[in-house]
Amino acid sequence: MQNSVTVKTKETRFPVAEDLYGLFFEDINRSGDGGLYPEMLRNRSFEDSLTPGGCRVEGDGTIFKNRGGWPGAFNHGEGMDDWAAAVPYTPIPGWYVQGASMALELRETLNDKREAALRVHFTAGGRLWNIGYAGVPVKNGASYSLYIFVKASEEMILRASLEGEDGSCYGDSFAVVRPFENWQRLDFILRATGENFKGRLVLTADRNCDLLLGFTSLMPKETFKGHGLRADLVEMLQNSHPKFLRFPGGCIVEGFSKETAMRFSNTIGPVWKRPSHNLMWHYRTTNGLGFHEYLQLCEDLDMEPMYVCNCGMSCQARVAEMFNDETVDEFLQEALNALEYALGPVDSVYGAMRKEAGHPEPFRMKYVEIGNENWGPEYEARYEKFYKVLKEKYPDIIYISNCHTEKSGLPTEIADEHYYNTPEFFLENENRFESYDRSGPEIFVGEYAVNGGNTIASMECALAEAVFLAGAERNQDIVKLTSYAPLFQNSDYTAWKPNLIVFDNHQVYGIPSYHAISMMAENRGKEVLETETQVEMKPPVYKGIPGLMCSKPGLQFKNARINGEAAEIAQTIYGGWKEENGVYTMLEEERHHPYIGKSDAWNKAMEEFQSGRSRPMAQSPDSLMWVAFGKEDLEEYTFTIDLKFEKDNPVTLSVWNFHPNTDAGCNEPKDPGWNLRSVRNQVWKIENGRGTTETRSFFERNLPEPDKTELEIDYTRFNTYTVKTYHGGYECYINGILVQKKSLTKHPIISTVATADEDTIILKLIHIGDADTEVEICLDCDVAPDASTEILAAELDAVNSMENKYNVIPVHGEIHNAGKTFTYQTPARSINILRLRKI
């Protein structure tokens, strides 16, 4: 068929949402200290090996557990297994000695905010060094500022040097240290005379002496606009054309205990007076990237700040602690203090602190989000309290709820929705927002990313996300804000993937999604135009094998067949079974997801945690037994099986079960076998005599119950259940009678959205097909024949990397045949921006 797009410039729908494209920063993958905040010394406060607040370290120190039993990787403060394995062991992470000895000092610390200091005994010529974040990156000709708070036992000469692993010196400086009872600050300027990205900072004493170090810092002199952030990373943010910044998280806002929840008061003032604390992503932060730094970054990039405050609870996905009323009031006061810091006059308490930090004029603060990924009655009570107090004090701020609290009758200005899913999900949900109630709250897609399927951080993901974003753009009357998540990944300290921007200690690149989103964000227009499309539609194509799931033991089955041929059990994904005379019975057994990637002790603890012995994870499985049949992945097949089960035992015939190659998630490499977390599927679920074919993701809360079909089932005998799959859906039969049907959402091979300003029509075309395709463009006004284009195109599995940063990047070009009606050839697998000049 002829694919065509008609753009009606005289039929404007509504103005574009001015802040639609923004950024979400969370300190994950060591993206704060050692990343956006370019501190070059790891464990500069000597506190990394201390037990996280509200937790206990178990076994040999490889894990910690919070009060609810949720485990985190620890490794004596090094974090995850692969991080610890990459460096020689040291009892004090990041620090090493030669001709010296060192020990933590827990009593005589720099100030009441510091939990530890480092006591070093030097022999003459003894050395203490720090290896930074996978090395101290030394760049030829660059200058670095080093300061150290010290107490000395006697007068000494302390040499600070930038060195390579082989001892080569790339710059040094000296200080005379005199014995004082009080702490003294030593400042050094180190100028590099060579380049070594695996360098180290070395401190050398000229004689036998004792030195107590209270805090250290090594930072590059050159930062973005002189405001202390890493220039190349900020430039990546700038080039994505963001309109807002959501900070400081993310799950780290809630923490995994009351002690690790984010408090505004811990993120302001001199950095050596900011308490450190463990983040749930397996490392400690010194909060050098704090509230003031976020606001300054927003000002530097002309972004609207969006502050996320803790509302009195820890992370609900990690056994939440519900803080008592007194502590909730403390966190409410923290939020009020934060807003006063941003907006208050200089004669207010926190406005004066802002002035002292070098910014007498108020910052902006347009948005505040109350909590992060919270839900349920406990959240709603806290949300209501925070909203009432904050709105009364700061009525001009726009407040964001974590979920659809309007369904409980609460005032809700914007609801935050999160989407982590497969490419197919994003393609199928292009029109998701069409049916939203326009009298309800506005929508913030606060976190989204393709993190499932057979590829991540690939062109396939960028295409699917762009289709979803085009749908959001067509609904900008209600969808007002979007931000990909997570934002940054330090490639030497990966705790989650995919991430939009990948860096190490001296280089950076954007994944294909970064370039796609940047293109979408840069080309906005002022008004959304009416468009009509006639394009080829195609259903998603799934491939896999059939499966059977139940929630209680006792389900009996026999005579499993695929396309009329007997089918054996190929995979036991969860639970177990026994067979007698051709009849199989499902059993509940100790089978758990083989967690990998952090530590053996962590893996075992998570298995126990998920098994039910210390359950209550929100995403705990409701299908405790699961088998799959056959060995060949099929797109279209007929699966037949005889089943007998109790009415109160939810049973699911799982469709297109497959085991993807993806290694996304919390640094879990591709799972070695089929298991609960790794297998993807569609479902036909039968529960209490009713059937449904709809599945819900972890983030889809407060939605209406899915449609359920009443089924006539004789539970006293075996019945024959059949699922017929085909391109576009599947049909469900009981004893040969069609009882339900699932039609998969077809999606266009070309998705589009058009906007305009006074002079320009901006047309976005996302083509997911695998062949170049002509599209007829029809306009109701004249345009110049010459038009600019920007195209991102690549194979579906194409990715960028440190070795090939520009493998997938946009290409600028021109066409010369534009007019009221013209033909545009969209390259296969491409995102296209056409800028047409009105005449």
Side-chain angles (χ1 to χ4, degrees), residues 388-554:
K388 180 179 179 181
V389 172
L390 296 177
K391 192 67 176 178
E392 182 176 355
K393 179 71 173 178
Y394 296 98
D396 294 333
I397 290 177
I398 300 169
Y399 294 92
I400 300 171
S401 171
N402 293 176
C403 55
H404 283 272
T405 44
E406 81 282 358
K407 295 182 183 295
S408 297
L410 300 178
T412 309
E413 299 175 36
I414 298 180
D416 185 359
E417 298 184 352
H418 294 180
Y419 299 99
Y420 294 102
N421 218 305
T422 62
E424 292 83 5
F425 171 88
F426 286 94
L427 294 175
E428 292 173 32
N429 282 272
E430 176 182 359
N431 296 320
R432 186 179 189 89
F433 303 109
E434 301 283 350
S435 61
Y436 275 45
D437 183 359
R438 264 48 188 178
S439 65
E442 295 174 336
I443 301 301
F444 171 31
V445 183
E447 299 181 31
Y448 70 89
V450 172
N451 73 336
N454 281 322
T455 58
I456 58 168
S458 66
M459 185 64 191
E460 179 184 22
C461 305
L463 284 168
E465 292 155 359
V467 167
F468 186 76
L469 291 172
E473 286 203 30
R474 293 196 303 272
N475 289 273
Q476 290 179 78
D477 60 325
I478 189 169
V479 181
K480 300 296 185 181
L481 304 152
T482 66
S483 53
Y484 184 99
L487 179 60
F488 280 122
Q489 174 190 342
N490 187 326
S491 59
D492 291 304
Y493 301 96
T494 299
W496 180 281
K497 48 191 170 185
N499 305 273
L500 201 62
I501 299 169
V502 184
F503 68 93
D504 60 18
N505 65 16
H506 66 285
Q507 56 186 337
V508 61
Y509 70 88
I511 67 173
S513 296
Y514 168 85
H515 296 290
I517 294 166
S518 300
M519 291 168 61
M520 302 280 280
E522 183 179 15
N523 296 279
R524 301 284 289 116
K526 293 184 177 180
E527 299 282 342
V528 178
L529 303 179
E530 189 70 44
T531 57
E532 291 182 0
T533 59
Q534 290 186 341
V535 297
E536 179 185 347
M537 303 292 290
K538 60 180 289 187
V541 176
Y542 290 97
K543 182 184 291 187
I545 62 177
L548 179 65
M549 311 161 74
C550 64
S551 297
K552 299 178 182 179

Side-chain angles (χ1 to χ4, degrees), residues 649-772:
N649 186 1
V651 170
T652 299
L653 281 84
S654 52
V655 184
W656 290 307
N657 299 268
F658 75 99
H659 187 225
N661 295 320
T662 309
D663 63 347
C666 298
N667 201 36
E668 294 176 32
K670 182 179 182 300
D671 295 313
W674 289 51
N675 55 67
L676 182 67
R677 284 172 57 108
S678 69
V679 177
R680 313 291 187 191
N681 58 33
Q682 301 278 320
V683 302
W684 174 30
K685 185 174 183 178
I686 301 168
E687 184 173 10
N688 292 319
R690 295 189 295 174
T692 181
T693 58
E694 182 177 346
T695 58
R696 295 289 177 82
S697 77
F698 171 65
F699 297 102
E700 293 181 294
R701 309 185 189 95
N702 287 346
L703 296 180
E705 283 294 312
D707 292 335
K708 296 181 178 180
T709 300
E710 296 291 338
L711 305 174
E712 292 186 10
I713 300 173
D714 183 352
Y715 290 97
T716 66
R717 66 179 181 89
F718 279 95
N719 296 278
T720 301
Y721 295 79
T722 302
V723 177
K724 293 182 179 180
T725 73
Y726 52 90
H727 292 163
Y730 50 93
E731 296 174 342
C732 308
Y733 297 80
I734 300 178
N735 298 325
I737 299 173
L738 178 65
V739 294
Q740 283 188 277
K741 183 176 181 178
K742 174 66 177 290
S743 295
L744 302 177
T745 303
K746 291 184 177 181
H747 47 77
I749 66 164
I750 296 173
S751 299
T752 186
V753 62
T755 60
D757 56 25
E758 295 82 357
D759 305 315
T760 307
I761 300 166
I762 301 170
L763 182 60
K764 299 175 181 178
L765 301 168
I766 301 99
H767 180 207
I768 64 170
D770 57 5
D772 294 358

Side-chain angles (χ1 to χ4, degrees), residues 146-171:
L146 169 69
Y147 64 83
I148 312 170
F149 287 93
V150 299
K151 286 184 179 181
S153 61
E154 57 190 285
E155 184 171 307
M156 59 175 290
I157 297 176
L158 187 67
R159 175 180 181 253
S161 57
L162 298 172
E163 297 184 8
E165 292 176 293
D166 62 356
S168 300
C169 181
Y170 297 98

Side-chain angles (χ1 to χ4, degrees), residues 57 63 315:
V57 173
I63 66 166
C315 180

